[in-house]
Amino acid sequence: MLYAGSCLCGGIGYQVDGEFKSTSHCHCTMCQKQHGAACGSYGNISVRQLEWRRGQELLLLHESTPGVFRGFCSTCGSSLTWANQVETPDRIAIALGTLDTPYEQKVTKHIFTESRVKW
Ligand SMILES: [Zn+2]
Ligand SMILES: [Zn+2]
């Protein structure tokens, strides 16, 4: 499987080669803030599966906790990536909402549900 994705303004484009190793809806308060939504939805892959097709220079990284970097587009603000570069430097998570190729499977797990929103 080959998945294509991009940010809201289209400046950043990427490609994922192969299937996601796992997927999750993350209900932690940091994902709520970053995504401006009830949760952040991610597909976890090996960094070797990810190829930036355009605009990688537009990607900014916010270190939300030590070693954890959240990537977003400096033009439009789209949340694109999550990575723990200390504990799992060979893994990266892609925000599923930025996929252009439809992802047709169910997300496998909900995490940090203790901070799940009531609305
Ligand atoms: Zn953008
Ligand atoms: Zn989270």
Side-chain angles (χ1 to χ4, degrees), residues 29-81:
T29 55
M30 287 183 284
C31 282
Q32 290 167 2
K33 291 282 188 191
Q34 190 197 357
H35 294 262
C39 64
S41 302
Y42 288 107
N44 299 295
I45 56 173
S46 158
V47 291
R48 289 180 300 281
Q49 290 176 262
L50 177 64
E51 184 185 328
W52 298 102
R53 303 306 305 273
R54 63 179 185 277
Q56 191 179 1
E57 71 281 1
L58 298 175
L59 188 76
L60 292 183
L61 297 176
H62 170 64
E63 190 171 12
S64 55
T65 50
V68 173
F69 292 86
R70 294 166 180 268
F72 62 97
C73 174
S74 58
T75 301
C76 68
S78 283
S79 302
L80 292 160
T81 61

Side-chain angles (χ1 to χ4, degrees), residues 16 19 25 45 59 65 73 84-86 94 97 100 113:
V16 173
E19 273 306 328
H25 291 304
I45 56 173
L59 188 76
T65 50
C73 174
N84 188 328
Q85 295 185 0
V86 174
I94 293 295
D100 296 312
T113 52

Side-chain angles (χ1 to χ4, degrees), residues 26-28 30-31 42 70 82 112:
C26 182
H27 299 269
C28 84
M30 287 183 284
C31 282
Y42 288 107
R70 294 166 180 268
W82 184 101
F112 292 101

